[in-house]
């Protein structure tokens, strides 16, 4: 397989990802003597990953960005700056861009040739050792770190890690002793740590099939300085390519199988980039909706909006669609006066709140009310308002969320019909011990398809709420001495 084919299949797609804000990492992994350094760097007449990546980067480098580079060696768990002659570097520290090396020099690049010249000089400072399997075996990991920075403030926009790993080896075959034995042992330990990180990422992905949830599974980045430095390029918002280097030599069959097995395991890791891309796409859609919105003018906290279904009366406060907005939904056929106290309370804590009077007056009008509410949100430029519904307004909120799952954030559902203080509740219960069952009557029976539930624990929900997904805060009377329950999320 040619150097160009390897580059086109692995690193080339990552260049565009790097230029658009995604952290990327490219590894060459395998037994010593299988061509890892050749693949990453290559000779002048047959350039490798680094030369080809830099050429494409400078062809597409955005005018408002700057490219900076760093080049380090990890040898016996100690870092060395390969761009200078100083003996060593400080400790790894947590910085704004993730894990950073204290004292590491960073240089602004003006051309690919500048970086290649610096890398060639740095390569002469790498630790190598002759052994039975390779006359010039790299005994250190070399990491070229490219940083895309904003031209104005210098903040890091994205990072690219190109890693030439030291080769794994069986000391019995390589014939190393003394210092060479210590080097081989340390290299194998750091590669083992990399394998542990990969396996932990797979476990995290297995625990959550929709998206990786690294907060629930411990990822042992701190097991090795190598994995600590590469943390930003292994998990989170990153893409990783692993180039498995193997040999056709029969006496290296077990090492080749081990390398391919590791590569197969690594291929199962799914980082959060897909989630980030989805979030970016959703943000663009919200921005598109906001830009298409209109300015609402309220006089004394009241106004109206002309929609295709007719004018809709609206009470509340309004600044712009950019503000977090609460939409209050009252009962069927009710006026907005019943919501005035809640509007005032939310306004007092600096919430932008709007209460529309939807035209529906009966349960059969729920779907038409949902259509009116969606048109109102489009007119206002509201992509995902929070919906607060009381009684039939709560039903409207749920129905809206089912019909338009991406057009509402969380829901607050309040049983207002049965709200009363502790004294009122005790009086009602004394008069009728079955009074508490009324909390499931009226509009709340809609959640159970209009029939009284067999169980009051919420397990008997009907087809009316089939397909609902999202977070709900129920405000329910009675359970706490006639007051609302503590917040519950379902």
């Amino acid at each position: 397989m040619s150097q160009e084919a390897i580059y086109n299949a692995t690193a080339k797609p990552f260049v565009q990802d790097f230029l658009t804000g995604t952290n990327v990492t490219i590894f060459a992994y395998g037994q010593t003597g299988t061509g890892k350094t050749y693949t990453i760097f290559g000779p002048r007449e047959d350039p490798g990953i680094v030369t080809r990546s830099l050429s494409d980067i400078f062809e597409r480098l955005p005018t408002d960005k700057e490219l900076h580079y760093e080049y380090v060696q990890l040898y016996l768990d100690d870092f060395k700056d390969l761009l200078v002659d100083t003996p060593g570097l400080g400790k790894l520290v947590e910085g704004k861009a993730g894990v950073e090396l204290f004292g590491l020099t960073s240089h602004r690049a003006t051309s690919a040739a500048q970086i290649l010249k610096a890398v060639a000089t740095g390569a002469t400072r790498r630790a190598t050792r002759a052994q039975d399997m390779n006359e010039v075996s790299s005994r250190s990991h070399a990491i070229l770190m490219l940083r895309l920075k904003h031209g104005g403030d210098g903040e890091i926009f994205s990072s690219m890690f190109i890693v030439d790993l030291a080769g794994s080896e069986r000391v019995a075959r390589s014939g190393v002793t003394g210092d060479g034995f210590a080097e081989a042992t340390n290299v194998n330990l750091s590669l083992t740590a990399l394998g542990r990180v990969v396996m932990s990422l797979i476990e995290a992905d297995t625990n959550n099939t929709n998206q990786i949830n690294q907060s629930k599974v411990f990822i042992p980045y701190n097991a090795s300085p190598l994995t600590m430095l590469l943390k930003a390029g292994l998990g989170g918002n990153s893409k990783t390519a692993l180039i498995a280097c193997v040999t056709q030599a029969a006496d290296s069959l077990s090492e080749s199988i081990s390398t391919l097995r590791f590569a197969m395991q690594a291929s199962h890791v799914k980082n959060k980039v897909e989630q980030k891309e989805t979030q970016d796409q959703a943000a663009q859609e919200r921005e598109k909706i906001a830009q298409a919105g209109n300015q609402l003018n309220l006089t004394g906290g009241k106004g109206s909006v002309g929609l295709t279904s007719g004018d809709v009366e609206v009470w509340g406060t309004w600044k712009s669609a950019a503000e977090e907005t609460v939409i209050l939904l009252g009962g069927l056929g009710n006026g907005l006066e019943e919501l005035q106290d809640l509007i005032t309370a939310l306004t007092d804590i600096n919430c932008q709140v709007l209460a529309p009077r939807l035209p529906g007056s009966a349960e059969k009008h729920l779907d038409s009310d949902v259509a009116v509410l969606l048109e109102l949100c489009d007119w206002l430029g509201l992509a995902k308002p929070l919906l607060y519904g009381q009684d039939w307004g709560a039903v409207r909120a749920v129905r809206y969320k089912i019909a338009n799952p991406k057009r509402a954030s969380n829901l607050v559902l309040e049983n207002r019909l049965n709200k009363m203080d502790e004294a009122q509740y005790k009086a009602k219960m004394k008069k009728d011990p079955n009074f508490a069952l009324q909390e499931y009557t009226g509009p709340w029976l809609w959640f159970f398809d209009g029939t009284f539930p067999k169980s009051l624990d919420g397990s008997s929900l009907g087809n009316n709420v089939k397909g609902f997904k999202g977070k709900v805060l129920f405000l329910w009377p009675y359970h706490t001495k006639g007051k609302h329950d503590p917040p519950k999320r379902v």
Side-chain angles (χ1 to χ4, degrees), residues 130-200:
Q131 38 107 322
D132 292 351
M133 298 177 66
N134 189 354
E135 291 184 0
V136 190
S137 177
S138 299
R139 295 295 79 210
S140 65
H141 307 299
I143 305 107
L144 175 63
M145 295 177 282
L146 304 177
R147 311 284 193 182
L148 196 61
K149 297 185 177 182
H150 294 286
D153 54 19
E155 290 290 326
I156 293 178
F157 180 64
S158 58
S159 298
M160 173 182 279
F161 304 90
I162 303 179
V163 187
D164 178 19
L165 292 171
S168 61
E169 62 183 89
R170 287 189 297 169
V171 294
R173 284 198 60 209
S174 60
V176 294
T177 58
D179 291 342
F181 180 85
E183 291 171 351
T185 301
N186 193 270
V187 167
N188 290 340
L189 286 174
S190 62
L191 294 176
T192 299
L194 178 62
R196 287 176 57 198
V197 167
V198 168
M199 293 306 297
S200 297

Side-chain angles (χ1 to χ4, degrees), residues 12 34 37 61 68 84 114 199 236 401 411 415 431 438 443 479 490:
K12 188 170 184 175
T34 53
T37 300
L61 187 65
H68 293 243
V84 295
Q114 175 192 348
M199 293 306 297
K401 180 74 171 178
L411 306 187
N415 181 344
K431 184 177 181 180
Q438 293 186 24
H479 299 160
V490 297

Side-chain angles (χ1 to χ4, degrees), residues 12 25 71 82 84 142 147 177 266 278 342 354 413 438 446:
K12 188 170 184 175
T25 300
Y71 191 33
L82 293 176
V84 295
R147 311 284 193 182
T177 58
T278 300
L342 188 52
L354 291 176
L413 309 181
Q438 293 186 24
W446 179 88

Side-chain angles (χ1 to χ4, degrees), residues 433-446:
N434 294 320
F435 174 76
L437 297 178
Q438 293 186 24
E439 62 186 342
Y440 285 96
T441 61
W444 299 99
L445 282 182
W446 179 88

